[in-house]
Amino acid sequence: MSLELKINQDIKSAMIAKDSVRLRGLRAIKAAVLLAKTEKAGIEELDQDTEIKVLQKLVKQRKESGEIYKEQGREDLFQIELEEQQVIEEYLPKQLDRSEVESIIRTIITETGASGMKDMGKVMGLANQKLAGQADGKTISELVKSCLS
């Protein structure tokens, strides 16, 4: 079942349950999926990789907005961003913890024979492919830098 169909079904369920928090998050996902489809020149279905990228982008936006609201002392808006982020994360593949990501990156470094920062691009490319949807790019980048230096 495509993400769009699942989201539509979950929106109906959230409306019936009068779950405004969940409904807000689901509507954000639906809007982002529709926007992505429009950008892709009217395709019918997004592939799974594109769906994951859309969801990761939404989570990243919520995290960044939440941090800004927290810094400004707007706890009410921070809470809204946090709630939406949690709903969106339910549709992403299970996220790996930092040690699991580091283990995979060390394996990639060993396989490619990378020896220093000059090989960061090669390692980042393979790590992003292998860890797509399971870790965010910022974490991957930090760990690649620390492992190569």
Side-chain angles (χ1 to χ4, degrees):
M1 176 186 308
S2 75
L3 177 65
E4 191 173 14
L5 289 173
K6 178 138 180 60
I7 294 300
N8 285 332
Q9 288 177 347
D10 291 350
I11 285 175
K12 289 175 189 171
S13 299
M15 289 172 108
I16 291 169
K18 297 187 186 323
D19 186 350
S20 62
V21 171
R22 187 162 181 73
L23 190 58
R24 196 174 50 240
L26 292 169
R27 285 182 173 155
I29 295 171
K30 183 175 182 175
V33 168
L34 289 174
L35 183 64
K37 283 173 60 175
T38 307
E39 289 173 354
K40 297 271 187 184
I43 60 170
E44 290 296 315
E45 290 283 324
L46 296 177
D47 61 359
Q48 191 172 9
D49 289 340
T50 306
E51 289 174 348
I52 289 172
K53 287 178 185 171
V54 167
L55 292 173
Q56 284 178 321
K57 181 179 176 183
L58 289 174
V59 169
K60 182 179 177 185
Q61 288 172 343
R62 298 305 179 281
K63 283 181 181 177
E64 290 172 352
S65 297
E67 289 172 8
I68 291 169
Y69 292 139
K70 188 101 171 153
E71 289 171 7
Q72 295 177 348
R74 294 294 310 264
E75 194 64 36
D76 54 335
L77 296 175
F78 170 73
Q79 194 61 39
I80 290 171
E81 294 296 324
L82 184 64
E83 291 167 348
E84 287 183 16
Q85 177 186 334
Q86 290 169 345
V87 171
I88 295 165
E89 285 176 340
E90 291 175 21
Y91 295 91
L92 280 170
K94 180 189 168 290
Q95 299 291 295
L96 299 175
D97 66 26
R98 200 168 173 88
S99 62
E100 292 171 316
V101 173
E102 185 174 1
S103 170
I104 291 170
I105 288 172
R106 289 195 184 280
T107 304
I108 291 170
I109 290 171
T110 304
E111 289 172 356
T112 60
S115 58
M117 291 303 284
K118 67 182 186 315
D119 297 319
M120 184 171 174
K122 180 171 41 172
V123 174
M124 280 296 297
L126 291 170
N128 282 329
Q129 282 179 342
K130 195 165 193 167
L131 297 168
Q134 298 176 325
D136 65 84
K138 185 177 179 182
T139 303
I140 294 171
S141 176
E142 288 172 2
L143 290 172
V144 168
K145 283 179 186 174
S146 70
C147 289
L148 287 175
S149 57

